[in-house]
Amino acid sequence: MSKLNPKTTHYEFNGWPGALVISLGLPVFTVFLNQLIRPDYYIKGFFSNFELQEVFNGLHSWEYYLVDRRDLWVYYLTWYGVLAIVDTVLPGKVMEGVELRDKTKLKYKINGVALSTVFVLVIAMRWKLTDGQMPELQFLYENHVDICVITILFSFALSTYCYVVSFVPLLFNRPNGVGTNEKVLALGGNSGNVIYDWFIGRELNPRLGPLDLKLYSELRPGMLLWLMINLSCLHHQYLKTGKLNDALVLVNLMQGFYIFDGVLNEEGLLTMMDIATDGFGFMLAFGDLTLVPFTYSLQARYLSVSPVELGNARLACILSLMALGFYIFRSANKQKSDFRQGKLPHMKSIQTKRGTKLLADGWWAKSQHINYFGDWLISWSWCLPTWFQTPLTYYYPIYFAALLLHRQTRDEEKCREKYGESWVEYEKQVPYKIIPYVY
């Protein structure tokens, strides 16, 4: 047994059966959600007009997606590939990630500012050249569900590629930090079961040349496609009515702000669980490339077929909720980052036997994951612009709550094992998990 890559002994999602159910069920569920919001059919009220036959209307055979719609593959592969090239060649500062088990640190190019600038300029140029017609946005809107299916198939292919190459040793006599040619694997994805490891992700940081596939997929193709889908909904509604709907504009602005904030502050991801400890398998590939763009955009999609005029009072209330959530999320994360850098020595903390400290002051005295609470408030602000037309558009905060609870549970297990008695003391001082005085 490798000392660098110990065998996985703890299984999430009830092992490979759970991984298999999620791998098959979640893509189907994502297509299902998008089939309920189409220009020719959309859910009204509490699913009062739900018809099962409409769920299958417009869906096609595997041959259609794999052979007949080669144009969609060309467009999506171009999207993924060109963004990868641009991400690689644009200038940026180089930062180191967390220390890996072989005592090395991977280098990452942080160039979100440059990429965002180029992206906005390209969109503005296309608007000017097409006199506002933007055929690419029209194509995206009209082929929405078909493109969703293509991203699902691509996620299967990408995660399979990453699983296979995880068995290929380091090449060109480039040893790892312990002097062998082993790749560093994810602690949770080295079980030996093909389905489970493929789903969780076997290799910790799969790279294609200078491109880190995990960080790139999390921040570029999926996040920016989410932005493009929202824009396509706004553009469609404008072409159809000749005016801008305030609720749809609000969704675009709030989610666009969130998207660019993530892209522009990408260095913050280097220490997060997704990048630092999780492997890159189907779970993250599908989540990044399909789930994010095609479920986080449900509100914009719905408003494009069933618009709402909010008015100034409701606009102000929704914006205030977004601002509150973002303030909690951003200031809490900054406080923890400053503390780790030794900038806040006066703040109350718990010394651990590992030589590190657990912050138990400021925002982090209110709950163990106060930043999750801020993020969850933001999710509600994205749904409220659809008002109360249907509960379907409130899928996101419900899903997000489940995701945050899962992350909190995983983090708690790791911290309890990592810090021992210090974590017990921390839980006494900070008893609430996410929502202060509630949970």
Side-chain angles (χ1 to χ4, degrees):
M1 183 181 295
S2 169
K3 294 182 179 179
L4 178 63
N5 295 310
K7 204 77 169 177
T8 298
T9 56
H10 174 73
Y11 296 89
E12 298 185 57
F13 309 107
N14 294 314
W16 73 264
L20 181 61
V21 169
I22 295 172
S23 299
L24 298 177
L26 204 51
V28 171
F29 181 65
T30 302
V31 173
F32 171 78
L33 287 177
N34 283 273
Q35 281 290 92
L36 297 181
I37 306 176
R38 308 194 312 266
D40 61 320
Y41 169 74
Y42 60 93
I43 288 298
K44 298 178 182 179
F46 198 78
F47 295 81
S48 59
N49 63 328
F50 177 80
E51 295 182 19
L52 187 59
Q53 65 182 25
E54 287 291 353
V55 174
F56 297 95
N57 188 23
L59 295 179
H60 306 278
S61 66
W62 290 113
E63 183 180 2
Y64 175 85
Y65 297 108
L66 294 173
V67 180
D68 297 343
R69 292 308 304 268
R70 287 188 292 269
D71 60 326
L72 294 182
W73 281 101
V74 171
Y75 296 145
Y76 187 74
L77 291 175
T78 300
W79 169 262
Y80 191 91
V82 170
L83 278 176
I85 294 171
V86 171
D87 188 49
T88 303
V89 302
L90 283 179
K93 62 180 179 180
V94 176
M95 295 185 63
E96 291 185 337
V98 299
E99 184 175 275
L100 304 178
R101 290 195 305 280
D102 65 348
K103 305 303 180 182
T104 64
K105 294 182 179 181
L106 294 175
K107 295 184 183 299
Y108 296 87
K109 183 191 285 187
I110 305 301
N111 58 4
V113 174
L115 187 136
S116 298
T117 302
V118 170
F119 191 79
V120 171
L121 288 175
V122 169
I123 292 177
M125 182 182 67
R126 287 297 300 161
W127 175 270
K128 180 68 175 178
L129 291 175
T130 63
D131 195 27
Q133 292 300 303
M134 298 290 284
E136 47 273 277
L137 290 184
Q138 294 187 52
F139 183 87
L140 178 58
Y141 188 86
E142 294 165 0
N143 293 272
H144 180 83
V145 176
D146 287 344
I147 296 172
C148 176
V149 174
I150 296 299
T151 65
I152 292 170
L153 297 176
F154 180 79
S155 299
F156 273 98
L158 179 62
S159 49
T160 300
Y161 165 80
C162 290
Y163 176 77
V164 171
V165 299
S166 71
F167 292 94
V168 179
L170 294 170
L171 303 176
F172 309 115
N173 298 319
R174 181 172 60 88
N176 55 34
V178 295
T180 69
N181 64 350
E182 292 178 278
K183 291 180 176 178
V184 178
L185 306 181
L187 289 176
N190 189 29
S191 69
N193 182 276
V194 175
I195 296 175
Y196 185 79
D197 293 347
W198 170 85
F199 173 78
I200 292 293
R202 190 169 184 270
E203 188 174 351
L204 184 60
N205 300 105
R207 293 195 161 197
L208 190 59
L211 187 70
D212 187 284
L213 290 172
K214 183 164 59 171
L215 182 64
Y216 167 72
S217 296
E218 181 145 344
L219 280 177
R220 305 297 191 237
M223 291 281 280
L224 293 177
L225 182 56
W226 172 18
L227 177 71
M228 293 296 286
I229 291 173
N230 282 358
L231 288 175
S232 75
C233 295
L234 182 62
H235 184 257
H236 171 82
Q237 194 266 347
Y238 177 73
L239 290 181
K240 183 179 178 181
T241 65
K243 61 179 182 178
L244 295 175
N245 171 257
D246 63 355
L248 191 46
V249 170
L250 181 61
V251 167
N252 270 264
L253 289 176
M254 290 193 301
Q255 295 188 353
F257 174 79
Y258 186 88
I259 291 166
F260 279 115
D261 179 72
V263 173
L264 295 174
N265 294 281
E266 58 190 312
E267 62 267 23
L269 263 75
L270 301 184
T271 58
M272 291 183 66
M273 184 183 299
D274 289 359
I275 302 300
T277 62
D278 290 346
F280 187 61
F282 183 75
M283 179 176 69
L284 283 184
F286 171 78
D288 295 339
L289 303 179
T290 302
L291 198 68
V292 166
F294 289 96
T295 63
Y296 289 20
S297 61
L298 288 177
Q299 294 81 29
R301 187 77 174 167
Y302 194 85
L303 287 170
S304 73
V305 296
S306 183
V308 173
E309 288 293 338
L310 292 173
N312 293 335
R314 288 190 287 185
L315 282 172
C317 290
I318 295 170
L319 276 172
S320 297
L321 180 61
M322 167 78 175
L324 174 62
F326 186 79
Y327 171 71
I328 295 173
F329 176 77
R330 177 60 64 204
S331 58
N333 282 336
K334 185 179 187 305
Q335 192 175 73
K336 176 171 280 191
S337 176
D338 288 346
F339 177 80
R340 286 175 173 173
Q341 296 175 43
K343 297 179 181 179
L344 303 171
H346 62 282
M347 299 195 78
K348 182 181 177 182
S349 62
I350 299 172
Q351 182 69 48
T352 70
K353 293 181 179 179
R354 298 173 61 91
T356 56
K357 295 180 179 180
L358 297 172
L359 179 59
D361 203 351
W363 281 115
W364 301 94
K366 301 184 185 304
S367 78
Q368 298 169 17
H369 295 280
I370 189 65
N371 55 335
Y372 287 4
F373 178 54
D375 220 358
W376 194 55
L377 290 179
I378 293 173
S379 73
W380 281 100
S381 73
W382 294 348
C383 302
L384 284 170
T386 65
W387 211 234
F388 301 111
Q389 297 188 82
T390 174
L392 177 61
T393 55
Y394 287 81
Y395 149 82
Y396 177 62
I398 297 172
Y399 153 76
F400 198 45
L403 177 66
L404 293 178
L405 286 171
H406 178 245
R407 285 186 175 181
Q408 174 262 314
T409 303
R410 291 177 65 198
D411 187 60
E412 185 175 295
E413 291 175 354
K414 290 180 180 180
C415 288
R416 187 173 288 114
E417 180 180 349
K418 186 176 181 180
Y419 299 116
E421 295 178 359
S422 300
W423 184 255
V424 175
E425 177 60 29
Y426 175 73
E427 288 184 307
K428 290 180 181 178
Q429 294 190 26
V430 187
Y432 297 103
K433 310 293 186 182
I434 298 176
I435 305 177
Y437 310 108
V438 177
Y439 171 74

